Short mmCIF file of all heavy atoms in Angstrom, two decimals:
data_model
loop_
_atom_site.label_atom_id
_atom_site.label_comp_id
_atom_site.label_asym_id
_atom_site.label_seq_id
_atom_site.Cartn_x
_atom_site.Cartn_y
_atom_site.Cartn_z
N TYR A 814 14.93 -4.17 5.33
CA TYR A 814 14.93 -2.71 5.50
C TYR A 814 13.60 -2.27 6.10
O TYR A 814 12.54 -2.81 5.77
CB TYR A 814 15.10 -2.00 4.16
CG TYR A 814 16.46 -2.15 3.53
CD1 TYR A 814 16.71 -3.15 2.60
CD2 TYR A 814 17.50 -1.27 3.86
CE1 TYR A 814 17.96 -3.29 2.01
CE2 TYR A 814 18.76 -1.40 3.27
CZ TYR A 814 18.98 -2.40 2.35
OH TYR A 814 20.22 -2.54 1.78
N ALA A 815 13.66 -1.27 6.97
CA ALA A 815 12.47 -0.56 7.42
C ALA A 815 12.40 0.76 6.66
O ALA A 815 13.42 1.30 6.23
CB ALA A 815 12.53 -0.30 8.92
N ARG A 816 11.18 1.28 6.52
CA ARG A 816 11.06 2.53 5.77
C ARG A 816 10.97 3.75 6.67
O ARG A 816 10.86 4.88 6.18
CB ARG A 816 9.85 2.47 4.83
CG ARG A 816 8.50 2.32 5.49
CD ARG A 816 7.39 2.26 4.44
NE ARG A 816 6.09 2.04 5.06
CZ ARG A 816 4.95 1.97 4.37
NH1 ARG A 816 4.95 2.11 3.06
NH2 ARG A 816 3.81 1.76 5.00
N GLU A 817 11.01 3.54 7.97
CA GLU A 817 11.07 4.66 8.91
C GLU A 817 11.62 4.16 10.24
O GLU A 817 11.63 2.95 10.51
CB GLU A 817 9.71 5.36 9.09
CG GLU A 817 8.48 4.53 8.84
CD GLU A 817 8.12 3.60 9.98
OE1 GLU A 817 8.62 3.82 11.09
OE2 GLU A 817 7.36 2.66 9.76
N ALA A 818 12.11 5.10 11.05
CA ALA A 818 12.85 4.75 12.25
C ALA A 818 12.00 4.04 13.29
O ALA A 818 12.49 3.16 14.00
CB ALA A 818 13.48 6.02 12.86
N LEU A 819 10.72 4.42 13.41
CA LEU A 819 9.87 3.80 14.41
C LEU A 819 9.70 2.30 14.14
O LEU A 819 9.81 1.47 15.05
CB LEU A 819 8.50 4.49 14.44
CG LEU A 819 7.49 3.95 15.45
CD1 LEU A 819 8.05 4.01 16.87
CD2 LEU A 819 6.17 4.73 15.35
N SER A 820 9.49 1.94 12.87
CA SER A 820 9.37 0.52 12.54
C SER A 820 10.69 -0.22 12.71
O SER A 820 10.72 -1.38 13.11
CB SER A 820 8.86 0.36 11.10
OG SER A 820 7.49 0.64 11.03
N ALA A 821 11.78 0.45 12.38
CA ALA A 821 13.09 -0.16 12.58
C ALA A 821 13.30 -0.49 14.06
O ALA A 821 13.83 -1.56 14.41
CB ALA A 821 14.19 0.78 12.09
N LEU A 822 12.84 0.40 14.93
CA LEU A 822 12.95 0.17 16.37
C LEU A 822 12.08 -1.00 16.80
O LEU A 822 12.55 -1.90 17.53
CB LEU A 822 12.53 1.44 17.12
CG LEU A 822 12.45 1.33 18.65
CD1 LEU A 822 13.84 1.06 19.24
CD2 LEU A 822 11.85 2.62 19.25
N LYS A 823 10.82 -1.05 16.34
CA LYS A 823 9.91 -2.11 16.76
C LYS A 823 10.37 -3.48 16.26
O LYS A 823 10.35 -4.45 17.02
CB LYS A 823 8.50 -1.81 16.24
CG LYS A 823 7.87 -0.54 16.80
CD LYS A 823 7.72 -0.61 18.30
CE LYS A 823 7.03 0.65 18.84
NZ LYS A 823 6.91 0.63 20.32
N LEU A 824 10.77 -3.56 14.99
CA LEU A 824 11.23 -4.85 14.48
C LEU A 824 12.57 -5.23 15.09
O LEU A 824 12.82 -6.41 15.39
CB LEU A 824 11.34 -4.79 12.95
CG LEU A 824 11.74 -6.11 12.28
CD1 LEU A 824 10.71 -7.20 12.55
CD2 LEU A 824 11.92 -5.92 10.77
N GLY A 825 13.42 -4.23 15.30
CA GLY A 825 14.71 -4.50 15.94
C GLY A 825 14.55 -5.06 17.34
O GLY A 825 15.29 -5.97 17.75
N GLU A 826 13.58 -4.55 18.08
CA GLU A 826 13.32 -5.07 19.43
C GLU A 826 12.84 -6.51 19.36
O GLU A 826 13.23 -7.34 20.18
CB GLU A 826 12.26 -4.20 20.12
CG GLU A 826 12.76 -2.82 20.52
CD GLU A 826 11.65 -1.94 21.08
OE1 GLU A 826 10.46 -2.33 20.95
OE2 GLU A 826 11.97 -0.88 21.65
N LEU A 827 12.01 -6.82 18.37
CA LEU A 827 11.49 -8.19 18.24
C LEU A 827 12.60 -9.15 17.84
O LEU A 827 12.68 -10.28 18.35
CB LEU A 827 10.37 -8.22 17.20
CG LEU A 827 9.70 -9.57 16.97
CD1 LEU A 827 8.87 -9.97 18.18
CD2 LEU A 827 8.83 -9.54 15.71
N MET A 828 13.47 -8.71 16.92
CA MET A 828 14.51 -9.59 16.37
C MET A 828 15.79 -9.59 17.20
O MET A 828 16.62 -10.49 17.05
CB MET A 828 14.83 -9.18 14.94
CG MET A 828 13.66 -9.23 13.98
SD MET A 828 12.89 -10.87 13.87
CE MET A 828 14.27 -11.86 13.29
N GLY A 829 15.97 -8.56 18.00
CA GLY A 829 17.22 -8.46 18.76
C GLY A 829 18.38 -8.00 17.91
O GLY A 829 19.55 -8.19 18.29
N ASN A 830 18.09 -7.38 16.77
CA ASN A 830 19.13 -6.88 15.87
C ASN A 830 18.72 -5.51 15.33
O ASN A 830 17.53 -5.25 15.13
CB ASN A 830 19.31 -7.82 14.67
CG ASN A 830 19.82 -9.19 15.07
OD1 ASN A 830 20.81 -9.31 15.76
ND2 ASN A 830 19.11 -10.23 14.63
N PRO A 831 19.69 -4.64 15.05
CA PRO A 831 19.34 -3.34 14.44
C PRO A 831 18.85 -3.54 13.01
O PRO A 831 19.34 -4.40 12.28
CB PRO A 831 20.66 -2.56 14.49
CG PRO A 831 21.72 -3.61 14.54
CD PRO A 831 21.14 -4.76 15.31
N ILE A 832 17.87 -2.74 12.61
CA ILE A 832 17.29 -2.81 11.27
C ILE A 832 17.62 -1.51 10.53
O ILE A 832 17.27 -0.43 11.01
CB ILE A 832 15.76 -3.01 11.33
CG1 ILE A 832 15.40 -4.23 12.18
CG2 ILE A 832 15.18 -3.13 9.92
CD1 ILE A 832 15.91 -5.54 11.64
N PRO A 833 18.25 -1.59 9.36
CA PRO A 833 18.57 -0.37 8.63
C PRO A 833 17.32 0.30 8.07
O PRO A 833 16.32 -0.38 7.76
CB PRO A 833 19.48 -0.86 7.49
CG PRO A 833 19.14 -2.30 7.31
CD PRO A 833 18.76 -2.81 8.67
N VAL A 834 17.38 1.62 7.93
CA VAL A 834 16.25 2.40 7.44
C VAL A 834 16.58 2.95 6.06
O VAL A 834 17.68 3.46 5.82
CB VAL A 834 15.93 3.57 8.40
CG1 VAL A 834 14.82 4.45 7.82
CG2 VAL A 834 15.54 3.05 9.77
N SER A 835 15.62 2.81 5.15
CA SER A 835 15.73 3.40 3.82
C SER A 835 14.35 3.92 3.44
O SER A 835 13.34 3.32 3.82
CB SER A 835 16.22 2.35 2.80
OG SER A 835 16.50 2.95 1.56
N PRO A 836 14.26 5.03 2.71
CA PRO A 836 12.94 5.64 2.46
C PRO A 836 11.97 4.72 1.74
O PRO A 836 12.36 3.84 0.96
CB PRO A 836 13.29 6.86 1.59
CG PRO A 836 14.69 7.20 1.94
CD PRO A 836 15.36 5.88 2.19
N ASP A 837 10.69 4.94 1.98
CA ASP A 837 9.63 4.26 1.25
C ASP A 837 9.86 4.42 -0.25
O ASP A 837 10.16 5.51 -0.74
CB ASP A 837 8.29 4.88 1.65
CG ASP A 837 7.11 4.21 0.98
OD1 ASP A 837 6.83 4.52 -0.19
OD2 ASP A 837 6.48 3.36 1.63
N LEU A 838 9.73 3.32 -0.99
CA LEU A 838 10.01 3.38 -2.42
C LEU A 838 9.03 4.26 -3.17
O LEU A 838 9.32 4.73 -4.28
CB LEU A 838 10.00 1.97 -3.01
CG LEU A 838 11.07 1.00 -2.47
CD1 LEU A 838 11.03 -0.31 -3.23
CD2 LEU A 838 12.46 1.62 -2.55
N GLY A 839 7.86 4.52 -2.58
CA GLY A 839 6.91 5.43 -3.21
C GLY A 839 7.44 6.83 -3.36
O GLY A 839 6.98 7.60 -4.23
N PHE A 840 8.41 7.21 -2.56
CA PHE A 840 9.02 8.54 -2.69
C PHE A 840 9.72 8.72 -4.04
O PHE A 840 9.92 9.84 -4.49
CB PHE A 840 10.05 8.78 -1.57
CG PHE A 840 9.45 9.14 -0.24
CD1 PHE A 840 9.59 8.31 0.85
CD2 PHE A 840 8.74 10.33 -0.08
CE1 PHE A 840 9.05 8.65 2.09
CE2 PHE A 840 8.19 10.68 1.15
CZ PHE A 840 8.35 9.84 2.23
N TYR A 841 10.10 7.61 -4.67
CA TYR A 841 10.88 7.70 -5.90
C TYR A 841 10.01 7.64 -7.16
O TYR A 841 10.54 7.70 -8.27
CB TYR A 841 11.90 6.56 -5.94
CG TYR A 841 12.84 6.54 -4.75
CD1 TYR A 841 12.92 5.42 -3.92
CD2 TYR A 841 13.62 7.64 -4.45
CE1 TYR A 841 13.76 5.40 -2.82
CE2 TYR A 841 14.47 7.63 -3.34
CZ TYR A 841 14.54 6.51 -2.54
OH TYR A 841 15.38 6.50 -1.46
N LEU A 842 8.69 7.50 -6.99
CA LEU A 842 7.83 7.41 -8.16
C LEU A 842 7.99 8.63 -9.05
O LEU A 842 7.89 9.77 -8.58
CB LEU A 842 6.36 7.27 -7.73
CG LEU A 842 5.35 7.22 -8.87
CD1 LEU A 842 5.51 5.95 -9.69
CD2 LEU A 842 3.92 7.33 -8.33
N GLN A 843 8.23 8.40 -10.31
CA GLN A 843 8.38 9.48 -11.29
C GLN A 843 7.01 9.81 -11.86
O GLN A 843 6.35 8.97 -12.45
CB GLN A 843 9.35 9.06 -12.38
CG GLN A 843 10.75 8.77 -11.85
CD GLN A 843 11.67 8.16 -12.90
OE1 GLN A 843 11.28 7.25 -13.63
NE2 GLN A 843 12.89 8.67 -12.97
N MET A 844 6.57 11.05 -11.68
CA MET A 844 5.24 11.41 -12.14
C MET A 844 5.18 11.47 -13.66
O MET A 844 6.19 11.67 -14.34
CB MET A 844 4.82 12.76 -11.54
CG MET A 844 5.50 13.98 -12.14
SD MET A 844 4.83 15.53 -11.47
CE MET A 844 5.44 15.47 -9.77
N ASP A 845 3.99 11.26 -14.17
CA ASP A 845 3.76 11.34 -15.61
C ASP A 845 4.04 12.76 -16.08
O ASP A 845 3.54 13.74 -15.50
CB ASP A 845 2.30 10.96 -15.90
CG ASP A 845 1.97 11.03 -17.37
OD1 ASP A 845 2.33 10.10 -18.09
OD2 ASP A 845 1.35 12.04 -17.78
N ALA A 846 4.85 12.89 -17.12
CA ALA A 846 5.31 14.20 -17.57
C ALA A 846 4.43 14.80 -18.66
O ALA A 846 4.71 15.90 -19.14
CB ALA A 846 6.75 14.10 -18.07
N SER A 847 3.37 14.11 -19.05
CA SER A 847 2.51 14.62 -20.11
C SER A 847 1.57 15.70 -19.55
O SER A 847 1.62 16.05 -18.38
CB SER A 847 1.70 13.47 -20.71
OG SER A 847 0.74 13.02 -19.78
N THR A 848 0.71 16.19 -20.41
CA THR A 848 -0.27 17.20 -19.99
C THR A 848 -1.58 16.56 -19.52
O THR A 848 -2.57 17.26 -19.30
CB THR A 848 -0.56 18.16 -21.15
OG1 THR A 848 -1.09 17.40 -22.25
CG2 THR A 848 0.70 18.90 -21.58
N ASP A 849 -1.58 15.24 -19.34
CA ASP A 849 -2.81 14.53 -18.99
C ASP A 849 -3.44 15.08 -17.71
O ASP A 849 -4.66 15.23 -17.61
CB ASP A 849 -2.55 13.04 -18.82
CG ASP A 849 -2.25 12.34 -20.14
OD1 ASP A 849 -2.35 13.01 -21.19
OD2 ASP A 849 -1.92 11.14 -20.13
N ALA A 850 -2.61 15.36 -16.69
CA ALA A 850 -3.14 15.81 -15.41
C ALA A 850 -3.84 17.16 -15.53
O ALA A 850 -4.95 17.35 -14.99
CB ALA A 850 -2.01 15.88 -14.38
N LEU A 851 -3.22 18.10 -16.20
CA LEU A 851 -3.84 19.42 -16.36
C LEU A 851 -5.12 19.34 -17.19
O LEU A 851 -6.11 20.01 -16.89
CB LEU A 851 -2.85 20.39 -17.01
CG LEU A 851 -1.78 20.98 -16.09
CD1 LEU A 851 -0.76 21.77 -16.89
CD2 LEU A 851 -2.42 21.86 -15.02
N GLU A 852 -5.10 18.50 -18.21
CA GLU A 852 -6.30 18.33 -19.02
C GLU A 852 -7.43 17.71 -18.21
O GLU A 852 -8.60 18.08 -18.36
CB GLU A 852 -5.98 17.46 -20.24
CG GLU A 852 -5.06 18.15 -21.25
CD GLU A 852 -4.62 17.23 -22.38
OE1 GLU A 852 -5.00 16.03 -22.34
OE2 GLU A 852 -3.90 17.69 -23.27
N LEU A 853 -7.08 16.76 -17.33
CA LEU A 853 -8.08 16.14 -16.47
C LEU A 853 -8.67 17.16 -15.51
O LEU A 853 -9.89 17.23 -15.31
CB LEU A 853 -7.47 14.96 -15.72
CG LEU A 853 -8.42 14.16 -14.82
CD1 LEU A 853 -8.09 12.69 -14.88
CD2 LEU A 853 -8.35 14.64 -13.37
N LEU A 854 -7.81 17.97 -14.87
CA LEU A 854 -8.29 18.99 -13.94
C LEU A 854 -9.21 19.98 -14.66
O LEU A 854 -10.25 20.39 -14.12
CB LEU A 854 -7.11 19.72 -13.31
CG LEU A 854 -6.29 18.91 -12.30
CD1 LEU A 854 -5.01 19.65 -11.92
CD2 LEU A 854 -7.10 18.60 -11.04
N LYS A 855 -8.84 20.35 -15.88
CA LYS A 855 -9.67 21.27 -16.65
C LYS A 855 -11.04 20.67 -16.93
O LYS A 855 -12.06 21.36 -16.88
CB LYS A 855 -8.96 21.61 -17.97
CG LYS A 855 -9.70 22.62 -18.83
CD LYS A 855 -8.92 22.94 -20.10
CE LYS A 855 -9.66 23.95 -20.97
NZ LYS A 855 -8.89 24.25 -22.22
N ARG A 856 -11.07 19.36 -17.18
CA ARG A 856 -12.33 18.67 -17.43
C ARG A 856 -13.25 18.73 -16.22
O ARG A 856 -14.48 18.71 -16.35
CB ARG A 856 -12.04 17.22 -17.82
CG ARG A 856 -13.24 16.52 -18.44
CD ARG A 856 -12.85 15.24 -19.15
NE ARG A 856 -12.60 14.14 -18.25
CZ ARG A 856 -11.46 13.50 -18.13
NH1 ARG A 856 -10.41 13.87 -18.84
NH2 ARG A 856 -11.32 12.49 -17.28
N TYR A 857 -12.67 18.81 -15.02
CA TYR A 857 -13.45 18.92 -13.80
C TYR A 857 -13.67 20.37 -13.37
O TYR A 857 -14.11 20.64 -12.26
CB TYR A 857 -12.77 18.14 -12.67
CG TYR A 857 -13.03 16.65 -12.73
CD1 TYR A 857 -12.25 15.81 -13.52
CD2 TYR A 857 -14.09 16.08 -12.03
CE1 TYR A 857 -12.49 14.45 -13.58
CE2 TYR A 857 -14.34 14.71 -12.08
CZ TYR A 857 -13.53 13.90 -12.87
OH TYR A 857 -13.79 12.55 -12.94
N GLY A 858 -13.33 21.31 -14.27
CA GLY A 858 -13.55 22.72 -13.98
C GLY A 858 -12.55 23.32 -13.03
O GLY A 858 -12.85 24.31 -12.34
N LEU A 859 -11.34 22.75 -12.98
CA LEU A 859 -10.32 23.19 -12.04
C LEU A 859 -9.13 23.79 -12.78
O LEU A 859 -8.68 23.25 -13.79
CB LEU A 859 -9.85 22.02 -11.17
CG LEU A 859 -10.93 21.43 -10.26
CD1 LEU A 859 -10.48 20.08 -9.70
CD2 LEU A 859 -11.27 22.39 -9.12
N ASP A 860 -8.63 24.92 -12.27
CA ASP A 860 -7.49 25.60 -12.87
C ASP A 860 -6.50 25.97 -11.76
O ASP A 860 -6.70 26.96 -11.05
CB ASP A 860 -7.95 26.86 -13.61
CG ASP A 860 -6.79 27.60 -14.28
OD1 ASP A 860 -5.64 27.13 -14.17
OD2 ASP A 860 -7.04 28.66 -14.88
N PRO A 861 -5.44 25.18 -11.56
CA PRO A 861 -4.51 25.46 -10.46
C PRO A 861 -3.78 26.79 -10.59
O PRO A 861 -3.24 27.29 -9.60
CB PRO A 861 -3.52 24.29 -10.53
CG PRO A 861 -3.68 23.71 -11.89
CD PRO A 861 -5.09 23.97 -12.30
N ALA A 862 -3.78 27.38 -11.78
CA ALA A 862 -3.15 28.69 -11.94
C ALA A 862 -4.01 29.80 -11.37
O ALA A 862 -3.50 30.87 -11.01
CB ALA A 862 -2.86 28.95 -13.42
N GLN A 863 -5.30 29.55 -11.26
CA GLN A 863 -6.23 30.58 -10.79
C GLN A 863 -6.88 30.22 -9.46
O GLN A 863 -7.46 31.10 -8.80
CB GLN A 863 -7.33 30.78 -11.85
CG GLN A 863 -6.84 31.19 -13.22
CD GLN A 863 -6.17 32.54 -13.23
OE1 GLN A 863 -6.56 33.44 -12.47
NE2 GLN A 863 -5.15 32.70 -14.06
N GLN A 864 -6.82 28.97 -9.05
CA GLN A 864 -7.51 28.52 -7.85
C GLN A 864 -6.54 27.80 -6.91
O GLN A 864 -5.55 27.22 -7.35
CB GLN A 864 -8.64 27.55 -8.22
CG GLN A 864 -9.68 28.12 -9.18
CD GLN A 864 -10.53 27.01 -9.79
OE1 GLN A 864 -10.01 25.98 -10.22
NE2 GLN A 864 -11.84 27.24 -9.83
N LYS A 865 -6.84 27.86 -5.63
CA LYS A 865 -6.08 27.07 -4.65
C LYS A 865 -6.84 25.76 -4.42
O LYS A 865 -7.96 25.77 -3.89
CB LYS A 865 -5.92 27.84 -3.34
CG LYS A 865 -4.86 28.94 -3.38
CD LYS A 865 -4.65 29.54 -2.01
CE LYS A 865 -3.51 30.56 -2.02
NZ LYS A 865 -3.29 31.15 -0.67
N LEU A 866 -6.21 24.66 -4.82
CA LEU A 866 -6.83 23.35 -4.71
C LEU A 866 -6.29 22.61 -3.49
O LEU A 866 -5.08 22.57 -3.27
CB LEU A 866 -6.55 22.52 -5.97
CG LEU A 866 -6.72 23.20 -7.34
CD1 LEU A 866 -6.44 22.22 -8.45
CD2 LEU A 866 -8.11 23.80 -7.47
N VAL A 867 -7.17 22.02 -2.73
CA VAL A 867 -6.78 21.17 -1.60
C VAL A 867 -7.28 19.76 -1.87
O VAL A 867 -8.48 19.51 -1.97
CB VAL A 867 -7.36 21.68 -0.27
CG1 VAL A 867 -6.96 20.73 0.87
CG2 VAL A 867 -6.87 23.09 0.03
N GLY A 868 -6.35 18.82 -2.02
CA GLY A 868 -6.71 17.44 -2.26
C GLY A 868 -7.01 16.70 -0.97
O GLY A 868 -6.41 16.99 0.08
N ILE A 869 -7.93 15.75 -1.03
CA ILE A 869 -8.29 14.94 0.14
C ILE A 869 -8.44 13.48 -0.30
O ILE A 869 -9.09 13.20 -1.31
CB ILE A 869 -9.60 15.41 0.79
CG1 ILE A 869 -9.46 16.83 1.35
CG2 ILE A 869 -10.03 14.46 1.91
CD1 ILE A 869 -10.73 17.38 1.99
N THR A 870 -7.84 12.57 0.46
CA THR A 870 -8.14 11.15 0.32
C THR A 870 -8.66 10.63 1.64
O THR A 870 -8.14 10.96 2.71
CB THR A 870 -6.91 10.31 -0.11
OG1 THR A 870 -5.86 10.47 0.86
CG2 THR A 870 -6.41 10.73 -1.48
#
Side-chain angles (χ1 to χ4, degrees):
Y814 290 94
R816 63 181 177 178
E817 26 78 17
L819 180 58
S820 284
L822 174 64
K823 297 299 183 182
L824 183 61
E826 289 175 348
L827 182 69
M828 301 302 300
N830 296 307
I832 306 297
V834 176
S835 188
D837 182 279
L838 298 185
F840 281 116
Y841 303 122
L842 178 67
Q843 298 172 316
M844 74 175 69
D845 180 79
S847 70
T848 60
D849 289 355
L851 282 172
E852 291 173 358
L853 182 142
L854 289 170
K855 183 178 180 181
R856 195 165 77 241
Y857 280 85
L859 296 166
D860 181 1
Q863 302 295 326
Q864 302 165 315
K865 283 187 176 180
L866 314 182
V867 178
I869 296 179
T870 59

